[in-house]
Amino acid sequence: MDRNQSRRQVAAMKQSLFDQGLLDEQFIQLEELQDDANPNFVEEIVTLHYRDSSRLITSIEQALKERNPLDFNKLDTLMHQFKGSSSSIGAKKVKAECNLFREYCRAGSAEGCMRSFQQLKREYAALRKKLEAYFQLARQAGPQETACRSK
Amino acid sequence: MESKKSEGESSRSRISALVVDDDAIIRKIHKAMLQQVFNMDAKSVKDGKEAVDLHRCGANFDIIFMDKEMPIMDGHEATKELRGMGVKSMIVGITTRADEKDREEFLAAGSNHCFEKPLNRAKVEQVLHDHPNFPF
């Protein structure tokens, strides 16, 4: 596969992530910060996000097991962090699910939190899988032209 | 608000910025954006107390981007503290939800602006545009 064809595939894959509502404008803002000095900036940020997210998912799972009663303040705090991390990479659907979870925390709904968290994990796993495929293809395609930035 | 522009001192012609956020990813992104897009001299700390301590040691910044919810010292508490110390920097509060209460709290504490996270280019441009003392 020639380089141009690879790059078109990368672009198409990225577009589909937006079309499916998985990513928002923030992802583009991250790409604009990528240049020759920071050629893997986006992937570095996303990798940091995976590290954070894994830790937070484990903590939230643990907190959800500590019933009778659930500590909604603790859950809300953990989800606040998860939302911040997800927002920073433009994870649109994951962010929406974080908001829903926090509403359930405020409403004191244990069942709502459990249900929302399961959905959040599904959204997170789906996005992570697609982003990993995207970055793998992007690495194979080679460096893209960087966005122009005004000085 | 102090201007860092000084003739003959090109290193001081850049706007100095401080990013205050407990999230390491946010600090990395915001710093990179401020440095690369706006050519600011950007530093970062991880909570409001560190920001206050930095100023107590004599640091000064043209603009401070202050997260709202942080451990040890919240953004609006740090803003109140800094204003109480006489810090005249532009302070931009960054919240994680579109909550009018958060915004009001930040503005009441003495911030100049308040935006919902994430901070992006358009929001920084709006802040700089609203304050012509800052050069483009």
Side-chain angles (χ1 to χ4, degrees):
Chain A
M1 188 186 301
D2 70 10
R3 184 160 270 198
N4 283 337
Q5 198 175 352
S6 295
R7 285 179 179 172
R8 279 196 293 274
Q9 268 203 321
V10 170
M13 191 181 275
K14 185 170 72 174
Q15 186 59 46
S16 80
L17 293 172
F18 284 94
D19 292 343
Q20 290 170 62
L22 296 172
L23 292 178
D24 63 26
E25 165 72 20
Q26 176 63 16
F27 192 83
I28 297 174
Q29 302 262 342
L30 287 186
E31 287 191 315
E32 289 184 352
L33 298 176
Q34 193 155 284
D35 58 12
D36 292 340
N38 300 282
N40 303 308
F41 182 78
V42 182
E43 197 172 356
E44 284 170 16
I45 293 293
V46 171
T47 302
L48 283 174
H49 165 67
Y50 293 155
R51 187 197 63 190
D52 267 5
S53 306
S54 299
R55 175 182 58 81
L56 287 165
I57 284 172
T58 301
S59 297
I60 293 169
E61 275 172 341
Q62 190 55 45
L64 283 169
K65 282 181 188 161
E66 293 165 6
R67 290 205 175 211
N68 303 317
L70 277 183
D71 187 342
F72 289 108
N73 282 336
K74 182 177 177 181
L75 284 167
D76 187 60
T77 299
L78 289 169
M79 191 52 72
H80 155 73
Q81 293 173 42
F82 196 97
K83 182 190 165 180
S85 186
S86 302
S87 298
S88 67
I89 68 158
K92 191 175 176 183
K93 276 193 182 177
V94 173
K95 190 172 76 167
E97 210 54 52
C98 292
N99 283 335
L100 190 56
F101 184 96
R102 295 187 81 186
E103 283 176 26
Y104 283 126
C105 284
R106 285 192 275 273
S109 168
E111 195 187 316
C113 284
M114 299 286 291
R115 205 168 50 237
S116 175
F117 187 58
Q118 295 309 314
Q119 181 60 21
L120 185 148
K121 283 197 293 184
R122 280 191 288 270
E123 296 291 353
Y124 169 77
L127 177 62
R128 181 165 177 164
K129 190 175 173 184
K130 288 179 180 176
L131 281 177
E132 282 171 354
Y134 169 74
F135 285 122
Q136 187 175 15
L137 190 63
R139 277 195 296 273
Q140 288 166 7
Q144 304 283 310
E145 285 178 15
T146 55
C148 293
R149 288 196 297 271
S150 59
K151 294 283 178 189
Chain B
M1 249 163 288
E2 276 189 54
S3 170
K4 292 292 264 187
K5 264 191 139 172
S6 174
E7 278 189 331
E9 293 184 79
S10 58
S11 64
R12 294 195 60 203
S13 62
R14 296 165 74 196
I15 294 169
S16 60
L18 180 67
V19 175
V20 188
D21 201 300
D22 60 325
D23 187 322
I25 297 174
I26 295 291
R27 289 198 300 273
K28 189 174 166 88
I29 293 173
H30 289 178
K31 258 185 75 172
M33 180 187 61
L34 294 171
Q35 286 166 345
Q36 291 172 38
V37 179
F38 296 98
N39 196 33
M40 290 188 188
D41 179 13
K43 294 186 172 33
S44 68
V45 291
K46 65 180 192 300
D47 60 58
K49 184 174 182 305
E50 284 194 7
V52 169
D53 289 346
L54 204 58
H55 282 80
R56 284 202 207 287
C57 293
N60 197 14
F61 300 89
D62 293 314
I63 186 165
I64 301 169
F65 294 94
M66 182 80 76
D67 185 27
K68 172 76 168 64
E69 295 182 44
M70 292 181 285
I72 304 174
M73 189 185 284
D74 253 356
H76 72 278
E77 290 168 34
T79 300
K80 254 194 264 188
E81 193 81 20
L82 290 172
R83 290 302 190 218
M85 288 163 58
V87 170
K88 301 208 184 316
S89 312
M90 188 190 308
I91 298 179
V92 180
I94 314 286
T95 64
T96 50
R97 54 182 169 220
D99 189 330
E100 195 56 33
K101 184 169 168 286
D102 283 353
R103 182 186 165 79
E104 283 167 5
E105 218 166 26
F106 246 130
L107 294 174
S111 73
N112 302 91
H113 293 271
C114 189
F115 293 119
E116 193 184 346
K117 215 178 257 190
L119 187 66
N120 59 30
R121 180 179 182 157
K123 288 170 185 173
V124 177
E125 281 175 347
Q126 184 186 332
V127 169
L128 299 181
H129 180 264
D130 288 350
H131 295 268
N133 283 341
F134 282 79
F136 255 120

